[in-house]
Amino acid sequence: MSSSATQITGRREERGGATYLVWERTFAQSPEQVWAAVTEPARLARWIGTWEGDPGDGAVDFRMTAEGEDCPTERYRILACDPPRRLVVESGDGPVWHLELDVVETPAGADHGPRLVFAQRIDDPAGAENIGPGWEYYLDRLVAAESGTDVAAIDFDDYYPAQAQAYRDLFA
């Protein structure tokens, strides 16, 4: 796991007049493989959920399978898609979740692979105490899935409530 029970990896960042929480994870695979891990339904299902629909229509229906069978499907609009570099999506139901995923190549000769820079716009700062630990958990599951380690060994109880105060403090 890349984060301990209380240490957070997320940071607050201003982008275009909006506030975001931003996390980064580094991978041993190629940018194309990292892209596939966050966009292909079968690979996405290993760590968070899956989607159905035709992305060419500008939206897909996403369901978080890691939360159990009772999770509802949510519609996500695709605002930008530039494979294998950038994906921007926004939920259409309930509170809007605006998510930005960028796969950043590392310089030639670097001793590690590409980074996934994952950002969520934070419209209500009070939500950071839940959103932060949640994405720490899911991104660590992504790293586990892509590195071949046991995704099930990552326990949400190690993240929440242990990290909640640190994320509250980012927005105090």
Side-chain angles (χ1 to χ4, degrees), residues 83-141:
R85 304 286 176 246
R86 181 163 175 76
L87 177 65
V88 180
V89 297
E90 197 167 82
S91 67
D93 301 329
V96 172
W97 279 36
H98 179 91
L99 308 173
E100 300 183 6
L101 295 83
D102 292 287
V103 179
V104 180
E105 285 193 69
T106 52
D111 62 351
H112 52 79
R115 288 179 296 121
L116 173 66
V117 180
F118 183 95
Q120 179 171 345
R121 187 180 67 214
I122 302 297
D123 296 323
D124 178 4
E129 70 181 74
N130 296 307
I131 292 167
W135 283 121
E136 295 273 7
Y137 167 74
Y138 282 115
L139 292 169
D140 285 350
R141 286 174 55 93

Side-chain angles (χ1 to χ4, degrees), residues 21-154:
L21 270 174
V22 181
W23 301 265
E24 295 187 23
R25 297 294 187 270
T26 302
F27 296 86
Q29 296 92 335
S30 69
E32 292 77 15
Q33 290 171 320
V34 175
W35 178 261
V38 298
T39 61
E40 291 179 3
R43 292 195 50 189
L44 198 63
R46 297 182 309 168
W47 63 277
I48 190 168
T50 190
W51 60 266
E52 294 179 341
D54 181 357
D57 291 339
V60 295
D61 296 316
F62 176 75
R63 189 170 71 78
M64 294 182 75
T65 55
E67 297 290 321
E69 295 301 314
D70 296 343
C71 261
T73 298
E74 291 188 72
R75 188 101 168 135
Y76 273 81
R77 293 181 306 277
I78 301 166
L79 304 179
C81 185
D82 180 21
R85 304 286 176 246
R86 181 163 175 76
L87 177 65
V88 180
V89 297
E90 197 167 82
S91 67
D93 301 329
V96 172
W97 279 36
H98 179 91
L99 308 173
E100 300 183 6
L101 295 83
D102 292 287
V103 179
V104 180
E105 285 193 69
T106 52
D111 62 351
H112 52 79
R115 288 179 296 121
L116 173 66
V117 180
F118 183 95
Q120 179 171 345
R121 187 180 67 214
I122 302 297
D123 296 323
D124 178 4
E129 70 181 74
N130 296 307
I131 292 167
W135 283 121
E136 295 273 7
Y137 167 74
Y138 282 115
L139 292 169
D140 285 350
R141 286 174 55 93
L142 167 60
V143 169
E146 290 305 301
S147 66
T149 59
D150 184 11
V151 173
I154 298 173

Side-chain angles (χ1 to χ4, degrees), residues 13-20 100 121:
E13 189 174 292
E14 300 299 318
R15 294 181 174 188
T19 303
Y20 285 77
E100 300 183 6
R121 187 180 67 214

Side-chain angles (χ1 to χ4, degrees), residues 146-167:
E146 290 305 301
S147 66
T149 59
D150 184 11
V151 173
I154 298 173
D155 187 352
F156 184 68
D157 291 341
D158 292 338
Y159 297 81
Y160 187 87
Q163 295 178 346
Q165 185 62 50
Y167 278 102

